[in-house]
Amino acid sequence: MNILLNNFSTNFNTSPFQSIKNEDYKPAILKLIEDTKLEIEAIVNNTETPTFENTIEVLEFSGQQLDRVTSIFFNLNSAETNDELQKIAQDISPILTEFGNDITLNEALFKKVKHVYDNKDRFNLNTEQSTLLDKKYKSFSRNGANLSEDKKQQLRAIDKQLASLKLKFGENILAETNAFEMLITNEVDLSGLPEGAIEAAKQLAESKNKDGWLITLDYPSYIPFMTYADNRALRKKLAIAFGAKGFKNDKLDNQQHVLDIARLRFERANLLGYNTHAHFVLEERMAQTPEKVNSFLQDLLVKAKPAALREFAQLEQFAKELDNIDQLEKWDSAYYSEKLKQKLFNLDDEQLKPYFKLENVIDGAFQVANKLFGLQFKKIDTIDKYHEDVMTYEVLDENNQLVSIFYADFFPRAGKRNGAWMTSYKPQFIKDGINQRPHISNVCNFTKPTKSKPSLLTFNEVTTLFHEFGHGLHGMLANTTYPSLSGTSVFWDFVELPSQVLENWCYEREALELFAKHYETGEIIPMDLVQKIKESATFQEGMQTLRQLSFGLLDMSWHGVNPSDITNVKQHENKTFENTNLYPDVKENCMSTAFAHIFQGGYSSGYYSYKWAEVLDADAFDYFKEKGIFNKDVATKFKDNVLSKGGTDNPMVLYKRFRGQEPKPEALLKRAGLIK
């Protein structure tokens, strides 16, 4: 019997990971597509006059089991994949894309949706219902429902190609990451590396039956080496390998995929009547137009570049004085920045790491959530996991009512892509009077415990954990009627507000005292270190801002123009980076061929949203600082107007309800030290 075709009768209705076999996925998904088609037919064949209830609501709740099964499948394809899963993904992605088009290009169904949309004033809809109706109508109109039959067929063909290309792009990056290993056999080459990084490298080598120390492109291995290793030649080797992913003119090359994805997105936008892919995407964002995004990025660039140039000159001078380096290269960046930070602030990550044992940081995030929103996190072992590293929690409110199930998956492995993300295995929604609670997951890649040390996080990893946990809270505290408006289903340039605002607590003494305790002595982090963390928070902020802006500008350069004339990915990239480059170009490296955020994930024409959300988060945290970082009234306003509301209303309306005003960029610029 195929477990995926049952309503999951597991504890808390959780995903039955241990009972799923790879061969279950494709037949289950094909069967559930057919079941969903019958649900759609029932809407089309209903002879009653179309209403919000018999058309829009029924459509919203159709295909629920299909959604659950595909979310399990694609989440595991990111967090615990293998060759077999990747093959299934290549098979079913075009099928699911075709099915999605079957719905949005169904003329009879669109006619009914359009009837409700055209007569919406008669239905006395509340805000959430109006938003859902608008979203459903646009899901048709923005996906070709108004096109002629031949253009609909063109659209279908483009969507199928894109689904396959994006998957292949991601698979190539993962394969490249897994394929590279730098085995060090001479202990001298480990000079500068912290003891924990050396031990982790030794353990990794032993796990693969190799003598020596193994360094890989996984972040917990790559970052410490680039930051601390004294051997400049090995840093160069590692940096070039990292930057050359998808750019070697071999079977894992992504250059043609980049060109094809950009071209197909442009053609798709044109078919739908938009100038570019960015015009299409930004219609459904707070920023609204490519012109506004470019203006936003350029405005920040003008403010950040003078600071970035000063900081870079300071770094060059420092490297020259320290090691007689005549030309700073990209593989010198983290190394000399860390040494300069140590000199200026007498602070380095190795000093801080003992205070950031992973378990304590997780507990700290939980305590912050408890103080702000009254949440309790109870570890449970009564539900299935997809890997032994995963930790599972029941999340309860102040009345011991279930808020969410939470999965935490924090260590790298071969089947997991790099980076950090939040996702969901089951959405929140209200149906038949029952508030179905969500199942949320945070996935990261932190250093595993070694034989002698627990997992100790860098401060950057601490903020990453809080960042993803902020997304997690957005999912956990969702409280809407409709699943497609729930949790993180918001405008893309609003989605980073909950994640980025939570990072601010990592810099506050009141919060750090809750969890920053020495893993051996239990001593709370000394206040002089907290002060140094705060002082160093704006260290090289100009350079960091320039880097983020360069990624946003690269994204817009692929998606805010007609890309048909771009034939050379590297040349195009170099031209785009002309105004933001600080370091010399590395000819073997290319950013675009491994830029998964925009070519595989959901950030195409949206990378600017990290900076956009920083304006929101700095302004929002200013409010907390003004009233107290654990002020219950402010926290409740944030929960009630932002976290629980999902995409039920315009984000600026929600933000103003929380804050009482529109966000001002001054808070960000001040925090970044770019204005006084």
Side-chain angles (χ1 to χ4, degrees):
M1 191 175 79
N2 191 326
I3 187 83
L4 296 172
L5 292 172
N6 294 344
N7 281 322
F8 304 148
S9 55
T10 53
N11 204 1
F12 303 110
N13 191 231
T14 50
S15 307
F17 297 115
Q18 297 303 316
S19 306
I20 304 171
K21 300 188 282 289
N22 281 353
E23 58 266 28
D24 291 339
Y25 285 112
K26 191 172 177 182
I29 287 168
L30 292 175
K31 169 74 170 67
L32 292 168
I33 285 174
E34 292 310 311
D35 291 352
T36 309
K37 281 181 178 174
L38 293 175
E39 294 178 70
I40 300 298
E41 274 176 41
I43 301 172
V44 170
N45 296 333
N46 186 346
T47 55
E48 294 172 16
T49 304
T51 64
F52 180 82
E53 286 75 16
N54 70 21
T55 302
I56 306 302
E57 269 194 347
V58 177
L59 180 59
E60 169 70 358
F61 287 112
S62 64
Q64 282 188 292
Q65 188 70 0
L66 176 62
D67 290 342
R68 281 213 65 184
V69 170
T70 52
S71 75
I72 291 170
F73 175 77
F74 285 107
N75 283 336
L76 293 188
N77 194 39
S78 288
E80 183 58 13
T81 195
N82 51 52
D83 291 345
E84 198 180 347
L85 272 191
Q86 291 183 3
K87 169 77 175 71
I88 296 166
Q90 285 290 356
D91 286 348
I92 64 172
S93 287
I95 294 168
L96 286 164
T97 301
E98 184 78 359
F99 170 62
N101 282 331
D102 285 344
I103 294 175
T104 54
L105 299 177
N106 183 323
E107 280 185 48
L109 181 61
F110 178 54
K111 201 172 171 184
K112 295 208 163 208
V113 171
K114 191 172 186 311
H115 181 275
V116 181
Y117 185 77
D118 289 343
N119 292 282
K120 59 185 164 192
D121 294 343
R122 298 184 193 172
F123 293 116
N124 195 25
L125 304 177
N126 64 30
T127 303
E128 186 174 352
Q129 290 170 327
S130 295
T131 303
L132 182 70
L133 174 57
D134 192 52
K135 186 171 180 173
K136 288 294 175 207
Y137 176 76
K138 283 180 175 171
S139 75
F140 286 87
S141 64
R142 285 170 53 81
N143 285 290
N146 291 313
L147 295 179
S148 61
E149 196 49 47
D150 61 322
K151 286 190 173 173
K152 282 180 181 174
Q153 292 311 315
Q154 275 178 265
L155 190 77
R156 282 178 183 271
I158 288 172
D159 284 347
K160 262 180 130 165
Q161 281 177 273
L162 279 170
S164 183
L165 281 167
K166 289 196 292 184
L167 266 178
K168 189 71 186 123
F169 181 95
E171 286 170 11
N172 286 353
I173 298 169
L174 183 62
E176 289 263 45
T177 304
N178 289 338
F180 178 85
E181 291 180 347
M182 185 167 79
L183 185 67
I184 293 173
T185 51
N186 186 345
E187 202 164 347
V188 174
D189 292 333
L190 301 170
S191 169
L193 275 185
E195 187 190 321
I198 293 171
E199 191 179 354
K202 184 77 172 167
Q203 200 165 295
L204 188 59
E206 284 170 2
S207 74
K208 300 201 173 190
N209 298 316
K210 298 188 174 178
D211 289 331
W213 298 266
L214 200 59
I215 306 296
T216 70
L217 300 181
D218 284 322
Y219 287 145
S221 180
Y222 176 78
I223 300 291
F225 199 90
M226 295 308 298
T227 308
Y228 296 106
D230 295 329
N231 189 319
R232 195 182 187 206
L234 289 181
R235 289 202 313 270
K236 177 180 178 180
K237 180 181 176 181
L238 193 63
I240 287 177
F242 191 89
K245 286 182 285 189
F247 188 60
K248 299 200 194 84
N249 294 306
D250 58 9
K251 67 180 191 330
L252 298 177
D253 194 89
N254 272 339
Q255 290 174 84
Q256 194 57 49
H257 293 144
V258 165
L259 295 171
D260 290 345
I261 290 168
R263 175 182 51 78
L264 287 166
R265 283 173 172 165
F266 175 74
E267 287 175 13
R268 188 182 194 280
N270 283 178
L271 258 183
L272 294 166
Y274 296 87
N275 287 347
T276 67
H277 178 67
H279 285 87
F280 169 76
V281 168
L282 292 166
E283 185 181 67
E284 292 290 277
R285 299 286 194 266
M286 290 177 82
Q288 296 183 316
T289 67
E291 292 74 25
K292 192 161 179 186
V293 169
N294 282 317
S295 160
F296 170 75
L297 294 172
Q298 292 297 340
D299 187 43
L300 277 180
L301 183 60
V302 166
K303 293 183 171 77
K305 193 166 180 180
L309 291 171
R310 280 196 307 275
E311 291 161 5
F312 188 69
Q314 180 189 34
L315 191 64
E316 279 184 311
Q317 184 61 32
F318 175 72
K320 175 83 175 158
E321 287 167 7
L322 194 68
D323 288 330
N324 206 25
I325 299 291
D326 287 323
Q327 175 66 67
L328 267 186
E329 302 284 356
K330 285 182 180 172
W331 44 88
D332 298 318
S333 172
Y335 180 77
Y336 286 107
S337 291
E338 182 62 26
K339 282 197 163 11
L340 179 58
K341 188 168 84 173
Q342 288 175 27
K343 182 188 171 191
L344 293 177
F345 304 101
N346 192 21
L347 179 73
D348 77 276
D349 263 330
E350 288 309 300
Q351 238 179 312
L352 297 175
K353 276 169 75 173
Y355 296 97
F356 295 125
K357 180 182 169 186
L358 174 61
E359 290 79 1
N360 292 350
V361 180
I362 295 167
D363 186 54
F366 291 170
Q367 285 192 65
V368 168
N370 177 263
K371 281 177 164 288
L372 290 171
F373 311 118
L375 299 178
Q376 308 162 62
F377 291 78
K378 192 171 131 198
K379 203 165 187 183
I380 51 170
D381 295 307
T382 53
I383 62 173
D384 272 7
K385 306 172 178 190
Y386 55 86
H387 190 276
E388 61 184 11
D389 285 350
V390 178
M391 296 175 282
T392 47
Y393 300 87
E394 188 182 355
V395 187
L396 306 168
D397 66 14
E398 286 152 314
N399 302 314
N400 276 331
Q401 296 298 303
L402 181 71
V403 172
S404 172
I405 296 296
F406 180 53
Y407 299 87
D409 177 4
F410 287 140
F411 302 123
R413 50 183 176 266
K416 187 200 256 192
R417 67 178 170 89
N418 249 333
W421 63 96
M422 166 267 178
T423 188
S424 156
Y425 284 96
K426 175 177 177 279
Q428 177 275 330
F429 57 91
I430 299 169
K431 194 178 182 208
D432 302 326
I434 298 168
N435 194 328
Q436 296 280 347
R437 298 314 301 164
H439 300 170
I440 302 300
S441 175
N442 276 174
V443 189
C444 300
N445 282 277
F446 300 139
T447 306
K448 287 190 94 154
T450 61
K451 286 168 190 158
S452 69
K453 278 195 178 73
S455 175
L456 300 175
L457 304 189
T458 64
F459 188 70
N460 190 43
E461 288 174 326
V462 174
T463 59
T464 296
L465 189 148
F466 269 69
H467 178 101
E468 297 309 331
F469 189 62
H471 281 310
L473 290 171
H474 202 181
M476 291 178 224
L477 290 167
N479 195 26
T480 63
T481 305
Y482 304 112
S484 72
L485 301 179
S486 181
T488 56
S489 301
V490 300
F491 279 7
W492 211 265
D493 44 10
F494 193 59
V495 79
E496 294 297 334
L497 167 61
S499 56
Q500 290 183 190
V501 81
L502 204 69
E503 289 182 38
N504 289 284
W505 272 261
C506 301
Y507 296 90
E508 297 298 318
R509 179 181 61 80
E510 229 179 309
L512 285 166
E513 284 179 341
L514 299 172
F515 66 90
K517 296 167 185 170
H518 198 284
Y519 78 100
E520 287 174 317
T521 65
E523 175 206 10
I524 289 175
I525 191 167
M527 283 310 107
D528 65 317
L529 279 184
V530 175
Q531 192 52 38
K532 285 174 185 176
I533 289 171
K534 286 178 81 88
E535 285 169 3
S536 66
T538 59
F539 175 64
Q540 293 187 343
E541 188 63 37
M543 286 167 66
Q544 292 302 329
T545 300
L546 207 64
R547 183 171 178 267
Q548 281 292 95
L549 294 175
S550 74
F551 296 164
L553 291 164
L554 180 62
D555 174 23
M556 293 306 288
S557 79
W558 282 113
H559 297 119
V561 297
N562 177 351
S564 311
D565 295 336
I566 305 169
T567 54
N568 185 304
V569 176
K570 175 73 171 176
Q571 280 176 12
H572 171 72
E573 200 172 276
N574 282 353
K575 189 167 185 302
T576 307
F577 285 155
E578 269 173 1
N579 209 20
T580 55
N581 257 349
L582 295 171
Y583 294 92
D585 177 54
V586 181
K587 69 177 191 303
E588 301 93 334
N589 285 182
C590 185
M591 169 83 190
S592 300
T593 54
F595 201 173
H597 269 77
I598 67 168
F599 288 113
Q600 183 195 7
Y603 278 85
S604 63
S605 305
Y607 202 86
Y608 75 91
S609 60
Y610 282 106
K611 275 289 163 205
W612 184 276
E614 271 190 59
V615 170
L616 297 175
D617 103 63
D619 186 71
F621 193 64
D622 245 22
Y623 191 21
F624 274 100
K625 293 263 292 191
E626 188 187 309
K627 305 287 185 184
I629 66 163
F630 288 118
N631 183 286
K632 271 285 196 196
D633 292 340
V634 179
T636 302
K637 282 174 83 171
F638 192 65
K639 181 176 87 168
D640 291 350
N641 295 299
V642 176
L643 297 177
S644 67
K645 285 289 190 285
T648 55
D649 207 340
N650 182 286
M652 192 56 86
V653 170
L654 295 176
Y655 187 83
K656 287 200 303 199
R657 276 193 206 132
F658 154 65
R659 186 67 168 99
Q661 62 184 47
E662 288 202 4
K664 299 187 171 86
E666 284 74 21
L668 170 65
L669 296 168
K670 254 186 214 156
R671 184 176 74 184
L674 298 177
I675 60 170
K676 292 291 180 241

